[in-house]
Amino acid sequence: MKTIHKFRLECGKEPNTLKLREGYRVVRCEYVVPQKGVYLWVEQPLNVAIPVVERQFVVVYSGDPVPTSYQYLDTALDPFGPEAYHIFEVAVTPAGKVAAPHQQASPMLFRPAMRQVGTA
């Protein structure tokens, strides 16, 4: 059996760490207007014998650079605002650990989560 869970992702330079069952699959990403946030829906097995893995996701604004090792997943649009939010999965290192973002990108590459519209 499997199920789909919904997770809120915070914007900004810090990655969002999620504990997911091996074999998970991201199925949807959307900006939810009433909650004013970006959400990720993930399909994953329900079998408790399947190991849990930690994965990291970052949400960036259009035009912001990201390391080439990050994998693009989807874009969420605010239907009432000018912003687009792009979701990337942080690359997993060969040892099975998630690569720390400070090892791949400078924190200065990301805009603060609470920026004003129209500012750079």
Side-chain angles (χ1 to χ4, degrees), residues 58 60 64-73 87-92 99-101 103-106 109-110:
V58 293
V60 299
D64 287 346
V66 295
T68 56
S69 62
Y70 285 17
Q71 181 182 355
Y72 171 80
L73 295 175
I87 293 76
F88 290 84
E89 184 170 4
V90 175
V92 178
Q103 294 174 339
Q104 298 184 21
S106 164
L109 295 178
F110 299 94

Side-chain angles (χ1 to χ4, degrees), residues 23-74:
Y24 71 91
R25 180 174 69 100
V26 174
V27 295
R28 183 173 180 81
C29 175
E30 185 176 333
Y31 182 85
V32 179
V33 175
Q35 283 79 39
K36 296 181 180 171
V38 176
Y39 285 83
L40 194 68
W41 282 263
V42 180
E43 176 186 87
Q44 54 186 336
L46 280 173
N47 186 341
V48 295
I50 296 173
V52 172
V53 293
E54 284 191 355
R55 293 295 183 259
Q56 293 184 321
F57 302 86
V58 293
V59 180
V60 299
Y61 297 102
S62 295
D64 287 346
V66 295
T68 56
S69 62
Y70 285 17
Q71 181 182 355
Y72 171 80
L73 295 175
D74 204 353

Side-chain angles (χ1 to χ4, degrees), residues 94-105:
K97 292 186 176 182
V98 176
H102 60 77
Q103 294 174 339
Q104 298 184 21

Side-chain angles (χ1 to χ4, degrees), residues 8-14 16 31 36-38 57-67 70 72 74-78 81-88 107-120:
R8 182 181 177 114
L9 299 179
E10 299 301 325
C11 299
K13 66 180 181 178
E14 293 299 318
N16 297 269
Y31 182 85
K36 296 181 180 171
V38 176
F57 302 86
V58 293
V59 180
V60 299
Y61 297 102
S62 295
D64 287 346
V66 295
Y70 285 17
Y72 171 80
D74 204 353
T75 295
L77 301 172
D78 179 351
E83 207 61 72
Y85 305 93
H86 309 287
I87 293 76
F88 290 84
M108 296 305 294
L109 295 178
F110 299 94
R111 292 186 185 134
M114 301 302 288
R115 70 182 184 112
Q116 293 182 354
V117 175
T119 61

